[in-house]
Amino acid sequence: MNIATETAHIGLEWDTRTGAVTVPIYQTATFRHPGLGQSTGYDYTRSGNPTRQALEEGIARLEGGARGFAYSSGMAAIANLLLLFRQGDHLVVTEDLYGGTYRLFEQVFNRYDLQFTYVDTSDPVQVRTALRPETKGLFIESLTNPLLKVADIAALSGICRERGLLCIVDNTFLTPYLFRPFDHGADITVYSATKYLAGHNDTVSGLVAVKDPVLAEKVYFNQNSVGAVLGPQDSWLTIRGMKTLSVRLDRQQENALKVARWLASHPKVGKVHYPGLETHPGHDILKKTARGFGAMIAFEVVASPLVEQLLLKTRIISFAESLGGVETLITFPEVQTHADIAPAIRKRLGINNLLLRLSVGIEDADDLIKDLDQAFNP
């Protein structure tokens, strides 16, 4: 079955008693037992809830994994995955990753003696060079935030198999609709489902899919023990959003390519990062392995005053945090999403005072271009 059909049908056959087309919201903390030592399969919502289970089974199917898990946020999902590791373990990590993930690694889990080395994961040689005897995993953004570098997941997962490492892929920017990491050897995928999966900027959620059933049991134990689970209402909202994932992303990608090409030709733009452009270093990898290039664009303006001008003068495009919703959003990574990364590191990576990040929505592409055009003018 095509993945577009799979997304539209998440939860469709869940309520066999009434035939409800939409999965019900089981807004309950606890469940009554039919008898002593008996269970309906549900006891307490932290351990399992039917609405959340419909979502979890949905993401597992979309990914081709053994099991899925829904969390209260993408950061809660990543934090829960780090519980798979022990004191003294080392992970190799994408260097230009989301600033909140960097903060979690460096300011929280470092205190518990988990060690992290950050490298350009679009270069497998750098990844291999960074490995140590105590390395236990790779944490990779398939398309990096904000510079949109492309990781060769097949090559990196091959390194993991050689060394017995866990290959964890944050696939938030591409989603399983465009790219399925398990098809290329990954072990775990993680999403800020707040973004493209839920897709409407109205809920916060995180999703994980695990390929191996034995590993999935370990993830479930940690999820249930820590309890950072997604509530029934937000599970329902995430399912609702995922049903339209394919049509939203098709439109968003179409818009993003038009906007990226327009930006690339603008005299006040110095550089455009978008993998759908043939000049992008990762274009060929995604062209061979993915269904598309996503709808995120990063671009550098030629002078710093243009940053504030664009942020404040756009009328259709909103100056706001987050990404992946139906509305186009613009952010300034240096002082917003990546402020927790040290200035020297940001400068080396290219996250500078000229860089803006654009999450392209489903509006008319010509309207978005006109909005940017008027904002560029004094």
Side-chain angles (χ1 to χ4, degrees), residues 221-286:
F221 177 84
N222 290 336
Q223 182 196 41
N224 186 42
S225 299
V226 171
V229 296
L230 192 62
Q233 178 73 32
D234 287 334
S235 294
W236 186 88
L237 284 169
T238 304
I239 292 170
R240 188 277 314 266
M242 288 170 69
K243 285 175 175 288
T244 61
L245 175 65
S246 62
V247 291
R248 286 187 286 105
L249 258 178
D250 284 346
R251 176 60 174 265
Q252 287 168 299
Q253 288 189 110
E254 179 185 341
N255 285 351
L257 183 58
K258 290 179 182 177
V259 172
R261 285 175 173 164
W262 181 84
L263 286 168
S265 67
H266 199 284
K268 294 182 181 179
V269 175
K271 186 182 296 185
V272 177
H273 304 271
Y274 179 64
L277 297 174
E278 291 80 359
T279 54
H280 188 282
H283 176 83
D284 290 341
I285 292 176
L286 281 188

Coordinates of all heavy atoms in Angstrom, one line a residue, residues 221-286:
F221 N 10.0 -0.2 28.0 CA 10.3 -0.2 29.4 C 10.7 1.2 29.9 O 10.2 1.7 30.9 CB 11.4 -1.2 29.7 CG 11.8 -1.2 31.2 CD1 11.1 -2.0 32.1 CD2 12.9 -0.5 31.6 CE1 11.5 -2.0 33.5 CE2 13.3 -0.4 33.0 CZ 12.5 -1.2 33.9
N222 N 11.6 1.9 29.1 CA 12.0 3.2 29.5 C 10.9 4.2 29.4 O 10.7 5.1 30.3 CB 13.2 3.6 28.7 CG 14.5 2.9 29.0 OD1 14.6 2.4 30.1 ND2 15.4 2.8 28.0
Q223 N 10.1 4.1 28.4 CA 8.9 5.0 28.2 C 8.0 4.9 29.4 O 7.5 5.9 30.0 CB 8.2 4.7 26.9 CG 7.0 5.7 26.6 CD 6.1 5.2 25.6 OE1 5.7 4.0 25.5 NE2 5.6 6.1 24.7
N224 N 7.6 3.7 29.7 CA 6.7 3.4 30.8 C 7.3 3.8 32.1 O 6.6 4.4 33.0 CB 6.3 1.9 30.8 CG 5.2 1.7 31.8 OD1 4.2 2.4 32.0 ND2 5.4 0.6 32.6
S225 N 8.5 3.6 32.3 CA 9.2 3.9 33.6 C 9.3 5.4 33.8 O 9.0 6.0 34.9 CB 10.6 3.3 33.7 OG 10.5 1.9 33.6
V226 N 9.6 6.2 32.8 CA 9.8 7.6 32.9 C 8.5 8.3 32.8 O 8.2 9.3 33.4 CB 10.8 8.1 31.8 CG1 10.8 9.6 31.8 CG2 12.2 7.5 32.1
G227 N 7.6 7.8 31.9 CA 6.3 8.4 31.8 C 6.1 9.7 31.0 O 5.1 10.3 31.2
A228 N 7.0 9.9 30.1 CA 6.9 11.2 29.3 C 6.0 10.9 28.1 O 6.4 11.1 26.9 CB 8.3 11.6 28.9
V229 N 4.8 10.4 28.3 CA 3.9 9.9 27.2 C 3.0 11.0 26.7 O 2.8 12.0 27.4 CB 3.1 8.7 27.7 CG1 3.9 7.6 28.1 CG2 2.2 9.2 28.9
L230 N 2.5 10.8 25.5 CA 1.6 11.8 24.9 C 0.2 11.5 25.4 O -0.3 10.4 25.4 CB 1.7 11.7 23.4 CG 1.0 12.8 22.6 CD1 1.7 14.1 22.8 CD2 1.1 12.4 21.1
G231 N -0.5 12.6 25.7 CA -1.9 12.4 26.2 C -2.9 12.1 25.1 O -2.5 12.3 23.9
P232 N -4.1 11.6 25.4 CA -5.0 11.2 24.4 C -5.4 12.3 23.4 O -5.5 12.0 22.2 CB -6.2 10.7 25.2 CG -5.7 10.4 26.5 CD -4.5 11.3 26.7
Q233 N -5.7 13.5 23.9 CA -6.1 14.6 23.1 C -5.0 14.9 22.0 O -5.3 15.1 20.8 CB -6.4 15.8 23.9 CG -6.8 17.0 23.1 CD -8.2 16.9 22.5 OE1 -9.1 16.3 23.1 NE2 -8.4 17.5 21.3
D234 N -3.8 15.0 22.5 CA -2.7 15.4 21.6 C -2.4 14.2 20.6 O -1.9 14.4 19.5 CB -1.4 15.8 22.4 CG -1.6 17.2 23.0 OD1 -2.4 18.0 22.4 OD2 -1.0 17.5 24.0
S235 N -2.6 13.0 21.1 CA -2.4 11.8 20.2 C -3.4 11.9 19.1 O -3.1 11.7 17.9 CB -2.6 10.5 21.0 OG -1.6 10.3 21.9
W236 N -4.7 12.3 19.4 CA -5.7 12.4 18.4 C -5.4 13.5 17.4 O -5.5 13.4 16.2 CB -7.1 12.7 19.0 CG -8.2 12.7 18.1 CD1 -9.0 11.7 17.7 CD2 -8.7 13.9 17.4 NE1 -9.9 12.1 16.8 CE2 -9.8 13.4 16.6 CE3 -8.4 15.2 17.4 CZ2 -10.5 14.3 15.8 CZ3 -9.1 16.1 16.6 CH2 -10.2 15.6 15.8
L237 N -4.9 14.7 17.9 CA -4.5 15.8 17.0 C -3.4 15.4 16.1 O -3.3 15.8 14.9 CB -4.1 17.0 17.9 CG -5.3 17.8 18.5 CD1 -4.7 18.8 19.5 CD2 -6.1 18.5 17.5
T238 N -2.4 14.6 16.6 CA -1.3 14.2 15.8 C -1.8 13.2 14.7 O -1.4 13.3 13.5 CB -0.2 13.5 16.6 OG1 0.2 14.5 17.7 CG2 1.0 13.2 15.8
I239 N -2.7 12.3 15.0 CA -3.2 11.4 14.0 C -4.0 12.3 13.0 O -3.8 12.0 11.8 CB -4.2 10.4 14.7 CG1 -3.5 9.4 15.5 CG2 -5.0 9.7 13.6 CD1 -4.4 8.5 16.4
R240 N -4.8 13.2 13.4 CA -5.5 14.1 12.5 C -4.6 14.7 11.5 O -4.9 14.8 10.3 CB -6.3 15.1 13.3 CG -7.3 16.0 12.6 CD -6.7 17.2 11.9 NE -5.8 17.9 12.7 CZ -6.1 19.0 13.5 NH1 -7.3 19.4 13.5 NH2 -5.2 19.6 14.2
G241 N -3.5 15.2 12.0 CA -2.5 15.9 11.1 C -1.9 15.0 10.2 O -1.7 15.3 9.0
M242 N -1.5 13.8 10.6 CA -0.8 12.8 9.8 C -1.6 12.4 8.6 O -1.1 12.0 7.6 CB -0.3 11.7 10.6 CG 0.9 12.0 11.5 SD 1.3 10.8 12.8 CE 2.0 9.5 11.7
K243 N -2.9 12.4 8.7 CA -3.8 11.9 7.6 C -3.6 12.8 6.4 O -3.8 12.3 5.3 CB -5.2 12.0 8.1 CG -5.6 10.8 9.1 CD -7.0 11.0 9.6 CE -7.5 9.8 10.4 NZ -7.7 8.6 9.6
T244 N -3.2 14.0 6.5 CA -3.0 14.9 5.3 C -1.5 15.1 5.0 O -1.2 16.0 4.3 CB -3.7 16.2 5.6 OG1 -3.1 16.9 6.7 CG2 -5.2 16.1 5.8
L245 N -0.6 14.3 5.6 CA 0.8 14.6 5.5 C 1.2 14.6 4.0 O 2.0 15.5 3.6 CB 1.6 13.5 6.2 CG 3.1 13.5 6.0 CD1 3.7 14.7 6.6 CD2 3.7 12.2 6.7
S246 N 0.7 13.7 3.2 CA 1.2 13.6 1.8 C 0.8 14.8 1.0 O 1.6 15.4 0.3 CB 0.7 12.3 1.2 OG -0.7 12.3 1.1
V247 N -0.5 15.2 1.1 CA -0.9 16.4 0.3 C -0.2 17.7 0.8 O 0.1 18.5 0.0 CB -2.4 16.5 0.3 CG1 -3.0 15.4 -0.5 CG2 -3.0 16.6 1.7
R248 N 0.0 17.8 2.1 CA 0.6 19.0 2.6 C 2.1 19.1 2.1 O 2.5 20.1 1.6 CB 0.6 19.0 4.1 CG -0.7 19.4 4.7 CD -0.7 19.5 6.2 NE -0.6 18.3 7.0 CZ 0.5 17.8 7.5 NH1 1.6 18.5 7.5 NH2 0.5 16.7 8.2
L249 N 2.8 17.9 2.3 CA 4.2 18.0 1.9 C 4.4 18.1 0.4 O 5.4 18.8 -0.1 CB 4.9 16.7 2.4 CG 5.8 16.9 3.7 CD1 6.4 15.6 4.1 CD2 6.8 17.9 3.5
D250 N 3.5 17.5 -0.4 CA 3.6 17.7 -1.8 C 3.5 19.2 -2.2 O 4.3 19.7 -3.0 CB 2.5 16.9 -2.6 CG 2.8 15.4 -2.6 OD1 3.9 15.0 -2.3 OD2 1.8 14.7 -2.9
R251 N 2.6 19.9 -1.6 CA 2.4 21.3 -1.9 C 3.6 22.1 -1.3 O 4.1 23.0 -2.0 CB 1.1 21.8 -1.3 CG 0.8 23.3 -1.4 CD 0.8 23.8 -2.9 NE 0.4 25.1 -3.0 CZ -0.9 25.6 -3.2 NH1 -1.8 24.7 -3.3 NH2 -1.1 26.8 -3.3
Q252 N 4.0 21.8 -0.1 CA 5.1 22.5 0.5 C 6.4 22.4 -0.2 O 7.1 23.4 -0.4 CB 5.2 22.1 2.0 CG 4.1 22.5 2.9 CD 4.1 21.9 4.2 OE1 4.0 20.6 4.3 NE2 4.3 22.6 5.3
Q253 N 6.7 21.2 -0.7 CA 7.9 21.0 -1.5 C 7.8 21.8 -2.8 O 8.8 22.4 -3.2 CB 8.1 19.5 -1.8 CG 8.5 18.6 -0.7 CD 8.8 17.3 -1.2 OE1 10.0 16.9 -1.2 NE2 7.9 16.5 -1.7
E254 N 6.7 21.7 -3.5 CA 6.5 22.5 -4.7 C 6.8 24.0 -4.5 O 7.5 24.6 -5.2 CB 5.1 22.2 -5.3 CG 4.8 23.0 -6.5 CD 3.3 22.8 -6.9 OE1 2.7 21.8 -6.5 OE2 2.9 23.6 -7.7
N255 N 6.2 24.5 -3.4 CA 6.4 25.9 -3.0 C 7.9 26.2 -2.7 O 8.4 27.2 -3.1 CB 5.5 26.3 -1.9 CG 4.1 26.4 -2.2 OD1 3.7 26.4 -3.4 ND2 3.2 26.6 -1.2
A256 N 8.5 25.3 -1.9 CA 9.9 25.5 -1.5 C 10.8 25.6 -2.7 O 11.7 26.4 -2.6 CB 10.3 24.4 -0.5
L257 N 10.6 24.7 -3.7 CA 11.5 24.8 -4.8 C 11.4 26.1 -5.5 O 12.4 26.7 -5.9 CB 11.3 23.6 -5.8 CG 12.2 23.5 -7.0 CD1 13.6 23.4 -6.6 CD2 11.8 22.3 -7.8
K258 N 10.2 26.6 -5.7 CA 10.0 27.9 -6.4 C 10.6 29.0 -5.6 O 11.3 29.9 -6.1 CB 8.5 28.2 -6.5 CG 7.8 27.3 -7.6 CD 6.3 27.6 -7.7 CE 5.6 26.6 -8.6 NZ 4.1 26.9 -8.7
V259 N 10.4 29.0 -4.3 CA 11.0 30.1 -3.4 C 12.5 30.0 -3.4 O 13.2 31.0 -3.5 CB 10.4 30.0 -2.0 CG1 11.1 30.9 -1.0 CG2 8.9 30.3 -2.0
A260 N 13.0 28.8 -3.3 CA 14.5 28.6 -3.3 C 15.1 29.1 -4.6 O 16.2 29.8 -4.5 CB 14.8 27.2 -3.0
R261 N 14.5 28.8 -5.7 CA 15.1 29.3 -7.0 C 15.0 30.8 -7.0 O 15.9 31.5 -7.5 CB 14.3 28.7 -8.1 CG 14.7 27.2 -8.3 CD 13.9 26.5 -9.4 NE 14.4 25.2 -9.7 CZ 13.7 24.3 -10.4 NH1 12.5 24.5 -10.8 NH2 14.3 23.1 -10.6
W262 N 13.9 31.4 -6.5 CA 13.8 32.9 -6.5 C 14.8 33.5 -5.6 O 15.5 34.5 -6.0 CB 12.4 33.3 -6.1 CG 12.1 34.7 -6.1 CD1 11.8 35.5 -7.2 CD2 12.3 35.6 -5.0 NE1 11.7 36.8 -6.8 CE2 12.0 36.9 -5.5 CE3 12.6 35.5 -3.6 CZ2 12.1 38.1 -4.6 CZ3 12.7 36.6 -2.8 CH2 12.4 37.8 -3.3
L263 N 15.0 32.9 -4.4 CA 16.0 33.5 -3.5 C 17.4 33.3 -4.1 O 18.3 34.3 -4.0 CB 16.0 32.7 -2.2 CG 14.8 33.0 -1.3 CD1 14.7 32.0 -0.1 CD2 14.9 34.4 -0.7
A264 N 17.7 32.2 -4.8 CA 19.0 32.0 -5.4 C 19.4 33.1 -6.4 O 20.6 33.3 -6.7 CB 19.1 30.6 -6.0
S265 N 18.4 33.7 -7.0 CA 18.6 34.7 -8.1 C 18.5 36.1 -7.6 O 18.7 37.0 -8.3 CB 17.6 34.5 -9.2 OG 16.2 34.8 -8.7
H266 N 18.3 36.3 -6.2 CA 18.1 37.6 -5.7 C 19.4 38.2 -5.4 O 20.3 37.6 -4.7 CB 17.2 37.5 -4.4 CG 16.6 38.9 -4.1 ND1 17.3 39.9 -3.5 CD2 15.4 39.4 -4.2 CE1 16.6 40.9 -3.3 NE2 15.3 40.6 -3.7
P267 N 19.6 39.5 -5.7 CA 20.9 40.2 -5.5 C 21.3 40.4 -4.0 O 22.4 40.6 -3.7 CB 20.8 41.5 -6.3 CG 19.3 41.7 -6.4 CD 18.7 40.4 -6.5
K268 N 20.3 40.4 -3.2 CA 20.5 40.6 -1.7 C 20.6 39.3 -1.0 O 20.7 39.3 0.3 CB 19.4 41.4 -1.1 CG 19.4 42.9 -1.7 CD 18.3 43.7 -1.0 CE 18.3 45.1 -1.6 NZ 17.3 46.0 -1.0
V269 N 20.7 38.2 -1.7 CA 20.9 36.8 -1.1 C 22.2 36.3 -1.5 O 22.6 36.2 -2.7 CB 19.8 35.9 -1.5 CG1 20.0 34.5 -0.9 CG2 18.4 36.4 -1.0
G270 N 23.1 35.9 -0.5 CA 24.4 35.5 -0.8 C 24.5 34.0 -1.0 O 25.3 33.5 -1.7
K271 N 23.6 33.2 -0.3 CA 23.7 31.8 -0.3 C 22.4 31.2 0.0 O 21.7 31.7 0.9 CB 24.8 31.3 0.7 CG 25.1 29.8 0.7 CD 26.1 29.4 1.7 CE 27.5 30.1 1.5 NZ 28.5 29.6 2.5
V272 N 22.0 30.1 -0.7 CA 20.8 29.4 -0.4 C 21.1 27.9 -0.1 O 21.8 27.3 -0.9 CB 19.8 29.5 -1.6 CG1 18.5 28.7 -1.3 CG2 19.4 30.9 -1.9
H273 N 20.6 27.4 1.0 CA 20.7 26.0 1.3 C 19.3 25.3 1.1 O 18.4 25.5 1.9 CB 21.1 25.8 2.8 CG 22.3 26.5 3.2 ND1 23.6 26.0 3.1 CD2 22.5 27.8 3.7 CE1 24.5 26.8 3.5 NE2 23.9 27.9 3.9
Y274 N 19.2 24.6 0.0 CA 18.0 23.8 -0.2 C 18.4 22.6 -1.1 O 18.9 22.8 -2.2 CB 16.9 24.6 -0.9 CG 15.6 23.8 -1.2 CD1 14.9 23.3 -0.1 CD2 15.2 23.5 -2.5 CE1 13.8 22.5 -0.3 CE2 14.1 22.7 -2.7 CZ 13.4 22.2 -1.6 OH 12.3 21.4 -1.8
P275 N 18.2 21.4 -0.6 CA 18.6 20.2 -1.3 C 17.9 19.9 -2.6 O 18.4 19.1 -3.4 CB 18.4 19.1 -0.3 CG 17.4 19.6 0.7 CD 17.6 21.0 0.7
G276 N 16.8 20.6 -2.9 CA 16.1 20.5 -4.1 C 16.8 21.2 -5.3 O 16.5 20.9 -6.5
L277 N 17.7 22.1 -4.9 CA 18.5 22.8 -6.0 C 19.6 21.9 -6.4 O 20.3 21.2 -5.6 CB 19.1 24.1 -5.4 CG 18.1 25.2 -5.0 CD1 18.9 26.3 -4.3 CD2 17.3 25.6 -6.2
E278 N 19.8 21.8 -7.7 CA 20.8 20.9 -8.3 C 22.2 21.2 -7.8 O 23.1 20.3 -7.8 CB 20.8 20.9 -9.8 CG 19.5 20.3 -10.4 CD 18.3 21.3 -10.4 OE1 18.5 22.4 -9.9 OE2 17.2 20.9 -10.9
T279 N 22.5 22.4 -7.4 CA 23.8 22.8 -6.9 C 24.1 22.4 -5.4 O 25.2 22.5 -5.0 CB 23.9 24.3 -7.0 OG1 22.8 25.0 -6.3 CG2 23.9 24.8 -8.4
H280 N 23.1 21.9 -4.8 CA 23.2 21.5 -3.4 C 24.1 20.2 -3.3 O 23.8 19.3 -4.0 CB 21.9 21.3 -2.7 CG 21.9 21.1 -1.2 ND1 22.3 19.9 -0.7 CD2 21.7 21.9 -0.2 CE1 22.3 20.0 0.7 NE2 21.9 21.2 1.0
P281 N 25.1 20.1 -2.4 CA 25.9 18.9 -2.3 C 25.2 17.6 -2.0 O 25.7 16.6 -2.4 CB 26.9 19.3 -1.2 CG 26.9 20.8 -1.0 CD 25.5 21.2 -1.4
G282 N 24.0 17.7 -1.4 CA 23.3 16.5 -1.1 C 22.2 16.2 -2.0 O 21.4 15.2 -1.8
H283 N 22.1 16.9 -3.1 CA 21.0 16.8 -4.0 C 20.9 15.4 -4.6 O 19.8 14.7 -4.6 CB 21.1 17.8 -5.2 CG 20.0 17.7 -6.2 ND1 18.8 18.2 -6.1 CD2 20.1 17.0 -7.4 CE1 18.1 17.9 -7.2 NE2 18.8 17.2 -8.0
D284 N 22.0 14.8 -5.1 CA 22.0 13.5 -5.7 C 21.7 12.4 -4.8 O 21.0 11.5 -5.2 CB 23.4 13.3 -6.4 CG 23.6 14.2 -7.6 OD1 22.6 14.7 -8.1 OD2 24.8 14.4 -8.0
I285 N 22.1 12.5 -3.5 CA 21.8 11.4 -2.6 C 20.3 11.4 -2.3 O 19.7 10.3 -2.4 CB 22.5 11.6 -1.2 CG1 24.0 11.5 -1.4 CG2 22.0 10.7 -0.2 CD1 24.8 11.7 -0.1
L286 N 19.7 12.5 -2.1 CA 18.2 12.5 -1.9 C 17.5 12.1 -3.1 O 16.4 11.5 -3.1 CB 17.8 13.9 -1.4 CG 18.0 14.2 0.1 CD1 17.3 15.5 0.5 CD2 17.5 13.1 1.0

